[in-house]
Amino acid sequence: MGAPALRAGYGSADVTPALGDPLGGVVTREPRRTQHIRDRLHARALALRLGETRAVLVAAEILVVTPELHAAASRLAGLTPSQLLISATHTHSGLGAYWAPPLPVRFMGPYDQAIFDRLAQAIADAAIEALDDLAPADIQAASTSVSGASANRREPLGPVDPELQLVRFERGGRQPIDLWSFGAHPVIGSELAPNTATGDWPGEVCRRLEAHGAHAIFFQGAVGGLSPLFPELPIPLETHLRLVSDLIETGVQRAREHLLGLEVTGLRARVLPLALPETACRVLPPAGVRDRLLEVALSPARAWVAHRAREARPPDGAAPVHLVELGPVALVGTPCDLGVRVALALKSTLRSAGVRHPLVGSQCDAYVGYVHLPEDYAQRPPKGFRQMGLYENAMSFSGWDLGARMVEAVRESQAT
C-alpha cells in the first residue's frame, strides 16, 4: 500500500449580526447596534486529513476568539482543542456580545448567552461540514508582495509585512479551496459606517474570489502596528473598500499565476502553551525621568486596565500558540494582535527550519492583548504616532517579552 493521500474539505456557516445586535470592535459609551448589513458574514472552514490525523481551521468574520468560544466550538464539533484552530478575521464590524468580562464588554457590547451559543454552533457547523466534505487533494502554494495596502501605525517608515500567501487545494472535479493570508486591521467599516455590519476588506476579497469559482478562506496576518491604506482625504466606505480590495485581489490573482505543486508527507496539529506573567499594562520604556514620571501618573489607569485584563485572560493562564504543519506549509495561530516584527521573526524562524510557506496569524483560539518584540517597546512612540503606540503598549497585557518567547517556542518546536 502507498502512503495515505491528503484529503481536504470546505464548510461554511452564517455569522451575520441580526438588526439590533451589538457590533464588536470599538470602545463606545453605548453599544454600537447593527442598523445596516452591507454583506453577509461567515465562518469558513478548511478540514484536512492525512491518515488518521485531522486538523480543521475555521476563519470566522468576527473581532476576536475567546477561550470559552474555542472550547465550546471544539466540543460541539467533536474535536480536541489541538484539532480545531479558530481564527478571527478581526473585522471591527462583526457580531459582538459574546465575551462576558467587563473589559471586553466595553468594545463588544453587553454579553448575550444566546449570541454566544449561536456563534459557537455556527463555527462548529462549519467545521463539521468541512469534515463531511473531505476529498483527495493536491496542494499548491505561492507568495507575492502587495505594496500600499497597509502601513505601520506605530512609527514612521516602520516595518510592514507586504507578503500575501496563497495555498490552493485542488480536489479533482470539486471547487478548489484557496487559503490566503495578509495582514492589516479591517477597520474601514467601523471608521466610515460605524453601525453597519461588514466583513470589511477581507470579506470583500473573499466574495470576489468566490465569484470566480473557488472557496476562499482568509487567515489574518499581523495586525499589531498595522492598518490598511488610509487616504489623506475622507472618502465613502465603498470607495475605500474598493481601493484596498483591488490591491489585495490583484495580489491573490498574481499569486495564482505562480502556484507550484508541493509534496506533503505528514500532517501535525499541536498547541504550544506559553505561561503568562502577571499583567502590568506598562505604557513607556523607563528611558528618562519624564517617561518614568508619566508612567507613575498613569498608574491608576494602568491598574484599572490590568485588573480588567486579568479577568479576561485564558482560564489556564497560558497563551496558546497553535501550529498546523503540513510539510512545506505551516500555519501559526497566535492569541493576540500580533506585532509585525514578531510575525516577520516567526516567518524567518520557520523558513530557516525548512518551511517554505509559513502563514502566521493573529486572533486565534484566545486573546491576550497586543504582542510586540522588546525592541518595539524600547522606542518612545514619536509624535504623530504616539496615541496608537501608547495604546498598543498599554494593551500588551502579557509582558513585553511574550513576542520573543513566541519566536523561541516555535524555533524549539521545529527540533521535535
Side-chain angles (χ1 to χ4, degrees):
M1 294 180 61
L6 174 68
R7 301 171 70 84
Y10 174 82
S12 68
D14 194 286
V15 295
T16 308
L19 293 178
D21 280 349
L23 293 170
V26 179
V27 175
T28 55
R29 188 179 298 275
E30 296 294 331
R32 296 158 61 215
R33 298 281 178 178
T34 307
Q35 297 177 3
H36 308 282
I37 297 173
R38 179 189 180 270
D39 44 84
R40 307 301 297 182
L41 281 69
H42 297 87
R44 297 176 172 93
L46 167 68
L48 300 171
R49 182 163 187 165
L50 189 61
E52 297 303 311
T53 304
R54 298 186 299 172
V56 181
L57 163 68
V58 178
E61 291 182 298
I62 55 177
L63 181 71
V64 297
V65 181
T66 72
E68 297 79 11
L69 184 63
H70 184 263
S74 299
R75 183 177 65 254
L76 290 167
L79 296 167
T80 65
S82 64
Q83 289 176 324
L84 179 61
L85 168 57
I86 305 176
S87 166
T89 68
H90 201 47
T91 175
H92 286 53
S93 300
L95 191 61
Y98 59 88
W99 201 2
L103 183 61
V105 162
R106 293 180 176 270
F107 55 85
M108 297 284 284
Y111 181 74
D112 187 320
Q113 185 66 45
I115 287 178
F116 175 92
D117 292 342
R118 189 172 91 210
L119 181 57
Q121 188 63 62
I123 291 171
D125 288 346
I128 292 168
E129 182 179 321
L131 288 165
D132 290 341
D133 185 54
L134 286 168
D138 293 320
I139 184 171
Q140 303 170 320
S143 64
T144 189
S145 179
V146 177
S147 299
S150 62
N152 193 297
R153 66 184 194 178
R154 287 180 61 92
E155 55 183 296
L157 303 179
V160 297
D161 183 0
E163 184 176 42
L164 184 147
Q165 291 266 14
L166 173 65
V167 181
R168 167 165 278 202
F169 298 86
E170 290 280 6
R171 304 186 301 150
R174 301 194 187 193
Q175 278 185 269
I177 304 169
D178 281 350
L179 171 64
W180 64 283
S181 181
F182 185 75
H185 258 85
V187 292
I188 298 172
S190 60
E191 292 284 340
L192 299 177
N195 294 104
T196 295
T198 173
D200 215 276
W201 61 262
E204 176 66 23
V205 175
C206 279
R207 280 185 299 280
R208 294 184 186 188
L209 300 179
E210 289 163 348
H212 288 89
H215 296 305
I217 301 174
F218 174 65
F219 187 62
Q220 178 64 269
V223 294
L226 293 181
S227 279
L229 167 73
F230 272 102
E232 292 184 8
L233 298 176
I235 58 176
L237 171 66
E238 295 302 323
T239 303
H240 197 162
L241 281 175
R242 186 176 70 249
L243 284 172
V244 175
S245 300
D246 284 354
L247 284 170
I248 296 173
E249 182 190 15
T250 299
V252 176
Q253 300 294 359
R254 189 164 59 245
R256 280 180 175 172
E257 296 171 359
H258 295 88
L259 287 168
L260 294 175
L262 302 175
E263 183 178 354
V264 174
T265 58
L267 170 63
R268 179 164 60 167
R270 50 186 170 153
V271 175
L272 311 176
L274 301 184
L276 294 173
E278 179 65 18
T279 301
C281 299
R282 205 167 98 199
V283 177
L284 290 164
V289 174
R290 183 175 61 171
D291 289 347
R292 288 197 292 269
L293 290 174
L294 180 58
E295 195 78 25
V296 172
L298 292 172
S299 293
R302 288 175 49 228
W304 184 88
V305 173
H307 174 67
R308 293 307 187 194
R310 282 191 289 272
E311 296 174 335
R313 66 192 290 155
D316 62 358
V321 177
H322 203 142
L323 295 179
V324 177
E325 297 158 290
L326 189 63
V329 174
L331 277 71
V332 182
T334 66
C336 58
D337 285 85
L338 186 68
V340 61
R341 280 193 175 91
V342 188
L344 293 171
L346 286 167
K347 287 184 177 184
S348 176
T349 295
L350 287 164
R351 286 192 165 111
S352 295
V355 177
R356 290 167 55 190
H357 297 280
L359 284 67
V360 177
S362 299
Q363 312 296 348
C364 297
D365 293 356
Y367 187 70
V368 299
Y370 278 77
V371 175
H372 291 284
L373 287 180
E375 50 261 44
D376 292 295
Y377 299 118
Q379 302 179 51
R380 193 174 198 273
K383 186 176 180 180
F385 295 76
R386 192 159 299 158
Q387 181 178 356
M388 191 56 66
L390 297 182
Y391 164 76
E392 291 192 355
N393 287 2
M395 290 286 285
S396 294
F397 304 142
S398 305
W400 285 5
D401 68 341
L402 183 57
R405 290 171 56 212
M406 284 183 175
V407 175
E408 184 59 28
V410 170
R411 179 181 292 112
E412 291 176 355
S413 77
Q414 297 307 292
T416 61

